[in-house]
Amino acid sequence: MSQAKKLHFGHGENPAVILGNFANRHGLITGATGTGKTVTVQVLAENFSRLGVPVFVTDIKGDVAGLSQAGEQKPFLDNRAKELNIKNYDYSGRPSIFWDIFRQAGHPVRTTIQEIGPLYLSRLLDLSDVQQGVLAVAFKYAADENLLILDLKDLNSLLQYIGEQQKQISLNYGRVTSASIGAIQRRLLRLESQGGEFLLGEPALKLSDLMRQDLSGEGIISILESRDLMMKPQLYATFLLWLMTELFETLPEVGDPELPKLVMFFDEAHLIFSDCPTEVLRRIEQVARLIRSKGVGVYFCTQSPGDIPANVLGQLGNKIQHALRAYTPKDKKVIKAVADSFRPNPNFDTADVISQLGVGEALVSTLDENGAPRVVERVKIAPPRCRMGPITDQERQAIISRSPVKGVYEQSLDRESAQEKLQQRAAELARQKAAEQARLEAAEAESKKYRGRSRDSYATKVGKDFTRKLTTKVVNGLWKALFGKRR
């Protein structure tokens, strides 16, 4: 394979290299706090970008944003570059786009409830089977009635309407109960309290805007501001599941391309998996296993491999292990388990080296030309060319102001959807009810004219008329008999 299709990120007795056609086999970056994980993410991201690969990365601590700025010349960086014999080392930033679900430090990120769908939404909300069925009924009814479910307001309005019309809807779609509707509304309220109204809406993010190159052919790095997002794990998991699922369902099969179409880095990955519903974990595992054939690589960054579920961990082919500290017997067990996950190197004891690594050093095992794990190597991570640290608000705004997606997502849309149509339907029902009430009141007013006497029926009228005529004849007859003439 040509040199241009290799990503060099570390040097030791053997250079640390990720082969371009296996970069979509996912990866793991682990290590204790302060051992250099974030710098490793920066080095990998900027090298993928230089090869023309678009990158998506979450910025949990605010320092990943330094990818957008040229680094500052420092002696220890220059010395590391010389020590590792890095040619043409310079300080430069990478083309970047800032994103922010909360719309403060980047372009807004949105998707619609319609795109997430009832199945994944049920899993994210951790609904029971019965509640999942009710949510499926809601989506089916919305589809039949041409009601778009774009945001939380739409879904809440739809559930409220179904609750009001549950008798008729239950006959047509299956049993719907007020208890299940109430449970779903409470779960939606919890999602809303974490900021769900920011993520769910329009205009929805186009995946093509995460897979851009600049005019020189370098991959643009999309940086998601995540300092607030990390405090809302359900929202973080919602976004991750939607993004991975959307990529999987949208992109065509490409196998193992020479270079990935997109590489994603998720920092502090334990936040994704902590308290994550079982069904969501299964879905993430499934997507992680299959999305590589779409040319997408997913790299998780966390403190310990134990933070990643075993079924997901088994899908990660490229591993970078920074130092772990053995302060307790439990820590020693973790180190031993980590060491056993590597292909051993006869030149050193992996478990011993893990606790001896310095800042910027790592044990690395990537895939060889046959797709098999290489022997673990102790390497020094290459110095970044970008800034090692956060950027200023002025620098961030300058990048946002010249962004290729400037003005595309800033203005939220609120087109006619389920909420508006159901409000119109409720208004029409209210008008009909008012008209019926007016008719009844008019009829009541008319009846007051005859109040106090009862109207005779037709039979009664005929009887009275006959009686009156008969009485007249009898009286006339008696009168004539007595007085000799008619009265």
Side-chain angles (χ1 to χ4, degrees), residues 5-302:
K5 304 302 180 184
K6 295 180 180 180
L7 186 146
H8 295 263
F9 64 93
H11 299 262
E13 292 187 5
N14 295 301
V17 175
I18 294 178
L19 301 180
N21 63 326
F22 288 139
N24 62 331
R25 298 296 181 91
H26 311 321
L28 179 66
I29 304 164
T30 53
T33 301
T35 56
K37 299 189 301 298
T38 300
V39 173
T40 298
V41 170
Q42 288 181 309
V43 171
L44 291 174
E46 66 181 7
N47 277 281
F48 275 120
S49 174
R50 289 164 68 90
L51 290 175
V53 179
V55 175
F56 175 87
V57 57
T58 58
D59 190 3
I60 299 293
K61 298 182 287 291
D63 45 3
V64 174
L67 281 163
S68 63
Q69 305 294 321
E72 299 176 3
Q73 186 173 14
K74 295 180 179 179
F76 77 92
L77 295 176
D78 292 335
N79 293 336
R80 173 66 68 93
K82 292 178 181 178
E83 177 187 356
L84 303 181
N85 194 27
I86 299 176
K87 298 179 180 179
N88 302 320
Y89 180 72
D90 61 353
Y91 296 95
S92 58
R94 303 266 62 80
S96 303
I97 298 177
F98 289 111
W99 303 92
D100 184 5
I101 289 177
F102 299 107
R103 309 171 193 177
Q104 298 295 320
H107 303 291
V109 177
R110 302 183 189 89
T111 186
T112 65
I113 292 180
Q114 198 97 14
E115 290 182 348
I116 294 177
L119 179 60
Y120 300 143
L121 185 60
S122 296
R123 292 172 175 175
L124 287 165
L125 298 177
D126 198 20
L127 301 181
S128 67
D129 291 342
V130 173
Q131 293 159 4
Q132 288 183 38
V134 172
L135 190 62
V137 166
F139 272 77
K140 174 61 176 167
Y141 179 81
D144 291 345
E145 297 293 322
N146 196 26
L147 302 173
L148 292 176
I149 313 174
L150 303 178
D151 53 26
L152 288 172
K153 293 184 296 183
D154 289 329
L155 185 53
N156 278 316
S157 296
L158 179 61
L159 291 170
Q160 181 179 351
Y161 180 81
I162 289 176
E164 295 169 352
Q165 306 293 327
Q166 67 182 59
K167 184 176 181 180
Q168 184 61 38
I169 291 176
S170 294
L171 290 174
N172 296 330
Y173 294 91
R175 188 166 183 263
V176 174
T177 65
S178 299
S180 294
I181 292 175
I184 297 172
Q185 289 175 322
R186 288 191 294 273
R187 298 297 176 88
L188 290 174
L189 182 62
R190 187 171 67 183
L191 179 60
E192 183 178 1
S193 69
Q194 292 199 9
E197 73 275 9
F198 291 103
L199 176 63
L200 300 170
E202 286 190 314
L205 176 65
K206 296 179 181 178
L207 295 181
S208 57
D209 286 330
L210 297 181
M211 304 173 69
R212 286 175 170 266
Q213 292 179 327
D214 68 0
L215 296 178
S216 65
E218 291 192 350
I220 294 180
I221 300 177
S222 293
I223 303 172
L224 179 67
E225 170 62 37
S226 305
R227 281 173 286 188
D228 291 333
L229 186 61
M230 69 176 291
M231 306 304 295
K232 307 179 189 302
Q234 187 180 23
L235 194 63
Y236 194 7
T238 301
F239 171 76
L240 168 63
L241 183 60
W242 165 77
L243 179 59
M244 293 178 65
T245 300
E246 194 72 9
L247 288 167
F248 172 70
E249 294 179 349
T250 303
L251 297 179
E253 292 279 344
V254 294
D256 292 325
E258 290 186 338
L259 287 171
K261 291 185 175 182
L262 176 69
V263 172
M264 298 189 294
F265 292 89
F266 292 98
D267 198 3
E268 301 294 339
H270 67 278
L271 298 173
I272 300 171
F273 302 107
S274 60
D275 300 324
C276 192
T278 303
E279 288 297 325
V280 177
L281 289 178
R282 290 178 183 172
R283 182 57 184 170
I284 293 176
E285 173 200 345
Q286 181 186 25
V287 174
R289 184 171 64 251
L290 300 175
I291 200 173
R292 68 175 184 81
S293 64
K294 308 286 187 171
V296 178
V298 181
Y299 289 71
F300 295 105
C301 182
T302 186

